[in-house]
């Protein structure tokens, strides 16, 4: 009897089979690289002597766990590890290192602008105050993860060396200016990326993303920076503890 001749539902035992196959594939994925292709449903069914329905359920469980992604008509591939952001104050670079990524940044633009009402309020400065506007593409293992735009007071940080902008800005400010971020507020909302954003992030236009607005403070309560990060929805997630 061929694989195709098997019933699409093996009954109660199928639940055990698909879970056993999921665990076996999960172990295999641990030794694979992101974007590496998995065998097809047919190949899995033949290799492990299960029905295609069982293979399909195992792959679906892996997709729900975020371990693999499927491209219609192409195949199933190992996902890039998700970056989980918690309520602990950490930088983007620290978040990536914790997931095994090598963090870096591609500088898209660095310019001086005058603070409008929105950014002057966010930074606690007068409208018209000169600001550094820094736009960067944040990368993990040279893979695009988010587009970040940060504003800092040019009066407080008059000399900002562009060579420092390929890594953690928070770490650079602490080393060069002795300013350490100790607290931050964040607002998060779901958005869909537009054309330029999609091209930078390597996703389809209209793909889901998370827009994170962040205001960071030093130990004296003064604002250090205000930033907006557009994070890929398939790679970034937030985990918060809520108490009564």
């Amino acid at each position: 009897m061929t694989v195709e001749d098997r019933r699409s539902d093996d009954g109660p035992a199928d639940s055990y089979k698909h879970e056993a196959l999921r665990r076996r594939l999960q172990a295999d994925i641990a030794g694979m690289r992101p974007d590496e292709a998995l065998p097809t449903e047919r190949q899995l069914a033949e290799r492990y002597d299960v029905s295609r329905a069982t293979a399909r359920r195992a792959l679906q469980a892996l997709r729900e766990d975020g371990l693999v992604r499927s491209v219609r008509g192409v195949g199933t591939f190992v996902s890039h590890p998700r970056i989980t952001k918690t309520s602990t104050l950490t930088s983007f670079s620290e978040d990536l290192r914790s997931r095994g990524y090598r963090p870096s940044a591609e500088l898209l633009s660095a310019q001086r602008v005058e603070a409008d009402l929105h950014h002057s309020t966010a930074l606690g400065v007068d409208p018209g105050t000169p600001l550094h506007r820094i736009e960067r593409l944040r990368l993990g293992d040279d893979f695009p993860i988010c587009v970040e735009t940060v504003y800092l007071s040019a009066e407080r940080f008059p000399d900002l060396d562009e060579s420092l902008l390929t890594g953690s800005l928070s770490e650079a400010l602490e080393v060069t200016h002795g300013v350490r971020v100790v607290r931050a507020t964040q607002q998060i909302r779901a958005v869909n990326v537009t054309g330029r954003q999609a091209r930078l992030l390597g996703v389809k236009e209209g793909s889901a993303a998370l827009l994170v607005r962040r205001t960071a403070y030093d130990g004296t309560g003064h604002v250090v920076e205000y930033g907006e990060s557009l994070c890929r929805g398939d790679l970034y997630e937030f985990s918060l503890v809520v108490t009564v």
Side-chain angles (χ1 to χ4, degrees):
M1 184 173 63
T2 66
V3 172
E4 288 75 17
D5 290 333
R6 291 186 178 125
R7 291 177 297 152
S8 61
D9 186 356
D10 294 332
D14 188 56
S15 295
Y16 169 77
K17 288 182 179 180
H18 106 264
E19 178 59 23
L21 179 57
R22 183 194 68 80
R23 289 197 299 268
R24 173 171 281 182
L25 293 176
Q26 186 173 349
D28 292 342
I29 289 169
M32 299 171 68
R33 294 184 58 82
D35 293 328
E36 189 172 342
L38 271 71
T40 64
E41 287 180 7
R42 182 192 299 273
Q43 291 169 334
L44 289 173
E46 293 175 345
R47 180 179 301 178
Y48 296 108
D49 192 28
V50 296
S51 70
R52 290 187 63 176
T54 295
R56 188 176 305 119
R57 289 183 63 188
L59 290 175
Q60 177 60 32
L62 293 172
R63 282 193 293 269
E64 292 172 356
D65 290 339
L67 297 177
V68 302
R69 60 183 179 85
S70 295
V71 180
R72 185 180 295 275
V74 179
T76 300
F77 305 88
V78 177
S79 296
H80 288 257
R82 283 181 176 269
I83 299 99
T84 301
K85 185 69 176 176
T86 67
S87 55
T88 303
L89 181 61
T90 53
S91 68
F92 177 87
S93 296
E94 290 171 328
D95 292 337
L96 262 65
R97 292 188 193 110
S98 70
R99 296 297 292 157
Y101 284 105
R102 176 177 54 83
S104 62
E106 177 185 332
L107 182 61
L108 301 176
S109 67
Q111 57 188 139
R112 287 204 182 195
V113 299
E114 292 186 353
D116 57 19
L117 182 59
H118 171 65
H119 294 110
S120 64
T121 301
L123 288 165
V125 298
D126 295 329
T129 297
L131 306 177
H132 294 293
R133 181 187 183 276
I134 303 163
E135 185 182 34
R136 304 188 297 172
L137 180 63
R138 304 306 305 270
L139 307 157
D141 294 341
D142 298 322
F143 188 82
I145 294 177
C146 77
V147 179
E148 173 190 81
T149 307
V150 176
Y151 295 84
L152 305 96
S153 169
E155 293 180 346
R156 185 177 187 185
F157 306 105
D159 300 314
L160 206 59
D161 191 336
E162 289 189 8
S163 65
L164 302 173
L165 304 181
T166 57
S168 170
L169 181 57
S170 298
E171 293 172 5
L173 291 178
E174 185 171 359
V175 171
T176 60
H177 291 79
V179 176
R180 181 169 177 267
V181 172
V182 299
R183 181 172 65 90
T185 60
Q186 292 187 142
Q187 296 83 42
I188 308 160
R189 69 184 179 93
V191 297
N192 297 103
V193 297
T194 59
R196 177 177 180 268
Q197 297 166 341
R199 289 192 297 274
L200 287 171
L201 292 173
V203 298
K204 292 183 179 180
E205 186 168 1
S207 296
L210 294 173
L211 177 62
V212 183
R213 293 191 172 100
R214 180 176 185 263
T215 305
Y217 301 83
D218 62 19
T220 66
H222 291 94
V223 177
V224 176
E225 65 179 59
Y226 168 77
E228 296 183 357
S229 298
L230 186 69
C231 305
R232 287 181 51 151
D234 60 335
L235 294 179
Y236 230 85
E237 63 184 14
F238 282 76
S239 177
L240 305 176
V241 176
V242 181
T243 59
V244 177

